[in-house]
Amino acid sequence: MKIKNLSKVLEGQPKYRYAQINKFLFQDYISDWDEASSLPKKLREELSAACPLEIKAEVFANESRQKTQRALVYLEDGESVETVLIRQKVDKNKDADYEPGEADKRGYRNTVCVSSQIGCPLGCTFCATGQLGFLRNLSSAEIVEQVVFWQRLLKAENSQEKVDNIVFMGMGEPFLNYPEFIKAVKFINNPETLNIGARRMSVSTAGLTEGIKKLAGEKLQINLAISLHAANDSLRQKLMPIAKKYALADIFKTVDDYIKKTGRRVMFEYLMIKGINDSSQDAENLARLMRKPLYLLNLIPYNDTGRFQTSSRETINDFKNILEKAGVSVTVRLSFGSDIAAACGQLHKNNSAAKSRR
Ligand code: SAH
Ligand code: SF4
């Protein structure tokens, strides 16, 4: 989709064209200008020539009982970026980010996981994207395009289908691309375009305090998640090199300020990696850090990318019990973790065929 020439084509057109076109592109999700039937034919032709709407992408198999689909979206420079759609049963009582709405009536909701960068410079040892290295930031348009792609696909299946939630948990660290990330959030939130409530969006960060501070000042109700993965700095530094720059104490201080300012809950993500961070001692240390109002903990079964192994179900249960007994709000949710987030990066890495098609 190439709409940066839009303003040039619309020069001399009445002002209301913009609103009309926004509705066609981001509410009706047209994929061909001919579908924009209320526009003059000549304008449609000009738009077709200057602003092609096609999104080149490849969808991969519908996996697992959770109905996860992944796609590589091809960008103008030939690079590709990974995005995931997950259709998930709504559970009012269990979903930490439950929001009432249309998804209730449907009984399940469509969550899209978007990437914010191609690769990631932070190099976390457990993360497929981190092991890819870093290529470049995505523009806000390229972030939005991932959502539009899934929305078109859903609409083609059934006109009642809609993207309900968006998580910035794909490839890359959103706060290293803050301006484009926040531009994308505001665009997606805009009632004249995609009109998805900020409360239905979540951003995950490796703990970049500058980004957390900036987000606190945005007056947006987006959910914040922090990738913790270890209850002490030395283990965290081994897993996440960036932890050398951001100590846990600094992250918690910044998060507490964020909570004071926004009154919003914060989700901490904790990967469960066999023999690395899943002992009962780890659980007790973690409990001491987590026992605060508005802190939520999400345990994520590690999705094996070759380097580490996933904790057993039993270990995860024991770990969770220790935390629960200590009064921590804790969930184990596949959807927030292995099915969505860990899916990202792996596709890129494993799919050499896709790479050779570039
Ligand atoms: N860079 C941001 C957002 C993208 S990663 C961040 O790190 O938070 C989104 C989530 O997926 C993070 O919590 C990350 O730690 C997690 N993740 C990465 N690799 C994973 C894997 N192999 N299995 C499960 N979760 C993984
Ligand atoms: Fe980057 Fe997040 Fe992966 Fe770490 S976990 S390498 S910050 S994408």
Side-chain angles (χ1 to χ4, degrees), residues 120-124 126-131 170-173 206 227 229 240:
C120 179
L122 298 186
C124 300
F126 50 78
C127 172
T129 304
Q131 300 309 306
M171 301 171 83
E173 166 55 46
S227 292
H229 309 329
M240 308 171 72

Side-chain angles (χ1 to χ4, degrees), residues 124-186:
C124 300
T125 53
F126 50 78
C127 172
T129 304
Q131 300 309 306
L132 277 176
F134 174 65
L135 210 61
R136 68 170 174 86
N137 280 331
L138 294 179
S139 68
S140 61
E142 288 168 331
I143 297 173
V144 170
E145 187 166 359
Q146 298 168 53
V147 182
V148 172
F149 170 73
W150 289 118
Q151 184 67 67
R152 285 185 191 175
L153 185 129
L154 287 169
K155 186 189 136 195
E157 273 177 21
N158 176 341
S159 59
Q160 302 302 311
E161 290 281 342
K162 225 178 139 291
V163 172
D164 301 298
N165 290 48
I166 293 172
V167 294
F168 288 81
M169 294 190 178
M171 301 171 83
E173 166 55 46
F175 288 171
L176 284 180
N177 186 17
Y178 194 92
E180 296 302 307
F181 148 73
I182 206 73
K183 224 165 121 183
V185 169
K186 289 177 180 166

Side-chain angles (χ1 to χ4, degrees), residues 326-343:
V328 177
S329 308
V330 53
T331 50
V332 179
R333 248 194 6 185
L334 291 170
S335 55
F336 235 74
S338 55
D339 262 4
I340 294 184

